[in-house]
Amino acid sequence: MNNFKDKSIILAVPNHFGLPKVFKKNLEYLGFKVFTVEHDCLQVKLSAEESLIHIYKKAFSNNKTFKAKVLAEKKELPQLFFLDKISQADYALVIRPDLFSKNVLAKIQKKSSYTVAYQWDGMQRFPLAEGTIKYFDRFFVFDERDTIRYPQTKHIHNFYFDYLPDHSEIKQDLFFVGTFMKDRIEELCKISVLFQEMNLKTNINVIYNKEKHIKKYREYPIHFTKTGMSFEENMKNAKASRIILDFQNSIHNGISFRVFEAVGFRKKLITNNELIKKYSFYNSSNMFLLNDHNLSEINDFLTRDYTESSEKTYEKYSFKNWITSILTQ
């Protein structure tokens, strides 16, 4: 665990559900001194003129990058000021580099001996990412298909954060959290009723923006909320459950954090993501691959005992192994 003791790292992560906090905690757990570049250091928005330009570019030239570029530039002054105070760091890790200005990325590159990026959303969804590749020694992508179009990138899967205590009191049978998605809400409602009929204690959470989207689903045993819980709360809920439920996001081609948490936290998993069969952790005793025709088989799956994997498997998908892999030159 002391491979990185006394090493320093610049960390730049968008503040989505408290992600910088969990990255920082796990890096410090491994011995790093962490310099965190705050993504939301300023509350900024487009001016009226900039909003009009954004609408025009998006509508008439299919340019969807103007808004993100302007917002990143509006945030850069305090970020650059923070970086100026760092003499030199051994490493730098930037998650979603498309969300940081080029000036900030250039400064991170200058202040770090070795810079690594992880674009954990598809490159096609966020075109600004392509222009940031040049600022990094290694550039990793979540979607394996992106390595074909961008051969200078490398594919890497997600992981589970491994700084939390190994043991946790079980408080519920099943846990799920995700944003509202039209293509999966019907399936989620159906399976939530099934769990209720099986007398399972569930904690199913859906984050939504507009009431009209979820109004007709209010009677289902699902907690609808406009404010999502923090990433660390998610992990603690996962550890306090016997089963983790996961639904694949149709706009991504990869494996979510929930799947890796099921592996690392030694939980049973119910998911509709066929990609899990490609991974060495796949075990049909622990993982139920959900489809339109096998709902009736879930009860049998849940009555079977969890089968322990090898320590090598648990280590392979940990944050410790992930960070070691991406920082190894």
Side-chain angles (χ1 to χ4, degrees), residues 21 48 56 75 92 128 135 145 149 157 200 266 274 301 305 318:
K21 177 181 178 180
Y56 178 85
K75 296 177 181 180
L128 285 175
Y135 296 104
R145 297 172 299 185
R149 185 166 182 177
H157 52 68
L200 294 182
R266 294 163 168 77
E274 291 271 352
F301 165 74
D305 291 336
S318 67

Side-chain angles (χ1 to χ4, degrees), residues 287-306:
M287 300 180 174
F288 186 86
L289 200 48
L290 187 66
N291 59 46
D292 294 334
H293 313 290
N294 65 357
L295 274 177
S296 61
E297 299 171 24
I298 289 180
N299 189 51
D300 179 61
F301 165 74
L302 294 181
T303 58
R304 298 199 297 268
D305 291 336
Y306 175 87

